[in-house]
Amino acid sequence: MYRQMCWLSQSSKSENKILHLQTAPNQPWRPYTAFPQFSVPDYPIPGGSKGWATYQKLLKAGWTLVPSARANEFSSKSIEVKS
């Protein structure tokens, strides 16, 4: 199974990054919340990173972390957060 994750901005205007996942090479990056089968609840920490708990779980499960610059470099589609 193709399993990659990356920290990407929520929108072009936002500096905050959230965890995004990609489960197929030609699929767009989508926020972790779009994958209920993989995501876990966020830690209840004010201002904490959205997706950090999921990141820890998936890293232990063998998912690959892709640098943000690389994810944007190969993306042919716009990266928009879709719930």
Side-chain angles (χ1 to χ4, degrees), residues 7-81:
W7 293 98
L8 298 170
S9 296
Q10 293 179 347
S11 69
S12 59
K13 299 176 185 177
S14 175
E15 292 182 17
N16 296 329
K17 294 187 176 187
I18 66 170
L19 186 68
H20 281 68
L21 306 178
Q22 190 179 45
T23 57
N26 296 323
Q27 293 295 316
W29 290 95
R30 296 185 351 193
Y32 71 104
T33 54
F35 297 91
Q37 69 273 33
F38 301 126
S39 65
V40 295
D42 288 323
Y43 297 122
I45 300 171
S49 296
K50 298 295 182 188
W52 183 250
T54 299
Y55 165 77
Q56 291 176 314
K57 172 192 169 188
L58 298 180
L59 189 63
K60 288 180 183 178
W63 284 59
T64 303
L65 180 63
V66 174
S68 299
R70 184 170 168 222
N72 289 328
E73 179 181 328
F74 295 109
S75 177
S76 60
K77 298 181 181 180
S78 134
I79 300 172
E80 295 181 17
V81 174

